[in-house]
């Protein structure tokens, strides 16, 4: 099992790199997870991570791509609420990658 | 999409006592992710899934109401409930987490007829 | 045209009511498993609805001689044919 060491604490990850304990998340954890992708987190990444964490708080699951795009559009505006924009920020599979960095479980009904 | 079929998911079990309600919801969300048009009908004890104020942490389950409230985020906007089932349980729209369209018996029969695929849970 | 299947006995009144309420002319109601017990007293169905019971489930329960009038019995091939001849299946359980 993989672990991250952050500020003297050991953080456990599952075999796909998602946090085992969602309560362990912090911005420092997100930065460490981003290094594993590897990905450099900019303000554009952080605001999407915030949208995801808010989605999880309200709906108690990690969104698939379609509701993620809709949530981003609602909170950050229609220019950012597009799959192409999210693909550039979180390449390959934005719903999965961004959920991992936001400390959410893996989206279950994601293609 | 030329190949899409219209799906109606009928959910008639209460939440938490069995996995039926969760299975219906997962099916609805997955169908929507595949960009097929989905409607949901809550019937019988299934209308109890829509009650506000669910707190299932003590029975170690996820909050079904929280996931249900995400249906509009998946563009599942056609939500119906059996009017008799609501009335028998003394429920009105104010008690529910989502706006649903109440249907009488004839309305339900027509709804079934207007969808290509019907999935009961 | 919808094929409705029902697999619960008549004591499951709420289910039976919802199922019957959903029936319209040209639909077929197929009773199977414990649903075949609904064929003992018969059911009040809307006009134009055909009611059939699955032969194996009727035989298993020893009720072949007790079915209400107007209820046909179909075997498994008949079941498959019914599925093919209706545009959708709604399963009441």
């Amino acid at each position: 099992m993989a672990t991250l060491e952050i500020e003297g604490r050991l953080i456990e990850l599952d075999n796909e790199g998602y946090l085992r304990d969602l309560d362990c998340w912090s911005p420092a954890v997100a930065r460490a997870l981003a290094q594993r992708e590897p990905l450099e987190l900019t303000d554009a990444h952080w605001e999407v991570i915030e949208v995801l964490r808010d989605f999880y708080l309200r709906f108690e699951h990690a969104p698939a791509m379609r509701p993620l795009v809709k949530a981003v559009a609602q909170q950050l505006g229609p220019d950012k609420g597009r799959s192409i924009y999210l693909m550039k920020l979180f390449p390959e599979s934005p719903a999965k990658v961004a959920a991992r960095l936001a400390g959410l479980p893996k989206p279950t009904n994601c293609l | 999409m030329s190949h899409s079929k219209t799906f109606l998911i009928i959910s008639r079990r209460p939440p938490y006592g069995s996995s039926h309600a969760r299975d219906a919801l997962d099916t609805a969300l997955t169908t929507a992710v595949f960009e097929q048009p989905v409607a949901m009908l809550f019937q019988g004890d299934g209308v109890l899934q829509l009650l506000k104020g669910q707190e299932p942490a003590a029975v170690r389950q996820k909050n079904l109401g929280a996931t249900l409230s995400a249906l509009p985020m998946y563009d599942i906007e056609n939500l119906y409930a059996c009017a008799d089932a609501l009335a028998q349980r003394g429920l009105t729209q104010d008690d529910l987490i989502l706006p649903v369209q109440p249907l009488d018996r004839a309305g339900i029969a027509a709804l079934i007829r207007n969808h290509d695929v019907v999935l009961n849970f | 045209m919808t094929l409705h299947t029902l697999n619960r006995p008549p004591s499951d009144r709420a289910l039976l009511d919802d199922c019957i309420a959903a029936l319209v002319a040209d639909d077929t109601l197929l009773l199977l498993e414990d649903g075949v017990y609904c064929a003992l007293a018969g059911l009040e169905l809307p006009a134009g609805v055909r009611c059939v019971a699955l032969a194996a489930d009727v035989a298993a329960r020893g009720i072949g001689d007790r079915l209400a009038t107007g209820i046909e019995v179909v075997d498994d091939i008949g079941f498959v044919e019914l599925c093919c001849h209706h545009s959708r299946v709604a399963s009441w359980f």
Side-chain angles (χ1 to χ4, degrees):
Chain A
M1 184 175 56
T3 54
L4 289 176
E5 194 180 334
I6 290 149
E7 293 157 356
R9 279 192 312 152
L10 277 184
I11 310 279
E12 294 183 355
L13 304 179
D14 70 13
N15 53 16
E16 292 179 274
Y18 292 85
L19 293 187
R20 280 193 181 268
D21 178 359
L22 308 185
D23 293 333
C24 288
W25 188 87
S26 69
V29 171
R31 276 189 292 271
L33 289 168
Q35 275 182 358
R36 291 164 50 94
E37 295 290 342
L39 212 57
E40 181 78 29
L41 294 184
T42 65
D43 287 350
H45 295 91
W46 284 112
E47 63 182 7
V48 173
I49 288 173
E50 276 307 308
V51 169
L52 266 171
R53 291 189 60 82
D54 176 67
F55 188 103
Y56 190 76
L57 212 62
R58 284 158 66 198
F59 303 125
E60 297 194 16
H61 69 280
M65 191 60 183
R66 187 170 174 181
L68 172 61
V69 168
K70 193 158 176 166
V72 169
Q74 284 176 355
Q75 294 189 31
L76 305 178
D79 288 349
K80 294 178 177 176
R82 300 188 313 141
S83 17
I84 186 82
Y85 176 77
L86 297 174
M87 290 289 275
K88 281 180 186 156
L89 287 178
F90 303 96
E92 289 183 36
S93 180
K96 287 178 191 164
V97 174
R100 192 152 51 213
L101 301 184
L104 308 190
K106 184 180 173 182
T108 49
N109 41 29
C110 202
L111 299 187
Chain B
M1 283 207 333
S2 57
H3 294 297
S4 64
K5 287 188 169 194
T6 56
F7 285 74
L8 173 64
I9 292 173
I10 302 180
S11 190
R12 48 183 327 281
R13 303 292 171 93
Y16 308 115
S18 71
S19 70
H20 286 99
R22 172 64 60 182
D23 293 343
L25 183 51
D26 284 345
T27 304
L29 297 182
T30 305
T31 308
V33 166
F34 279 93
E35 298 189 2
Q36 306 294 301
V38 193
M40 276 192 92
L41 166 65
F42 298 89
Q43 219 180 5
D45 288 330
V47 298
L48 298 169
Q49 298 169 31
L50 297 164
L51 269 184
K52 285 178 181 165
Q54 299 170 39
E55 292 180 9
V59 293
R60 293 164 189 274
Q61 294 200 44
K62 299 204 72 167
N63 191 332
L64 189 86
T67 316
L68 276 171
S69 60
L71 285 171
M73 297 300 290
Y74 287 75
D75 295 322
I76 303 176
E77 314 268 5
N78 293 324
L79 302 171
Y80 306 90
C82 171
D84 287 347
L86 291 172
Q88 283 160 9
R89 290 161 185 79
L91 302 178
T92 64
Q93 186 62 61
D94 287 345
D95 301 308
L96 311 181
I97 48 176
L98 278 169
V100 292
Q101 197 177 321
L103 289 180
D104 61 12
R105 293 164 75 105
I108 289 170
L111 189 70
I112 292 173
R113 198 160 245 229
N114 288 337
H115 285 80
D116 297 320
V117 181
V118 178
L119 299 169
N120 301 57
F121 291 88
Chain C
M1 272 175 60
T2 306
L3 174 65
H4 300 259
T5 68
L6 175 71
N7 77 339
R8 298 284 300 153
S11 57
D12 198 339
R13 193 68 229 178
L15 179 72
L16 193 55
D17 285 347
D18 284 344
C19 171
I20 292 175
L23 299 170
V24 290
D26 298 331
D27 286 356
T28 301
L29 173 62
L30 171 67
L31 306 172
L32 43 83
E33 298 169 6
D34 284 342
V36 295
Y37 288 123
C38 296
L40 292 175
L43 296 168
E44 275 190 43
L45 302 178
V49 173
R50 184 179 166 209
C51 185
V52 301
L54 196 63
D57 289 323
V58 168
R61 289 161 181 76
I63 57 171
D65 296 338
R66 298 168 185 269
L67 304 185
T69 50
I71 294 178
E72 304 162 48
V73 173
V74 295
D75 59 12
D76 289 355
I77 292 170
F79 184 178
V80 174
E81 282 173 352
L82 284 171
C83 292
C84 297
H85 291 147
H86 289 74
S87 25
R88 68 189 72 72
V89 180
S91 159
W92 303 93
F93 63 95

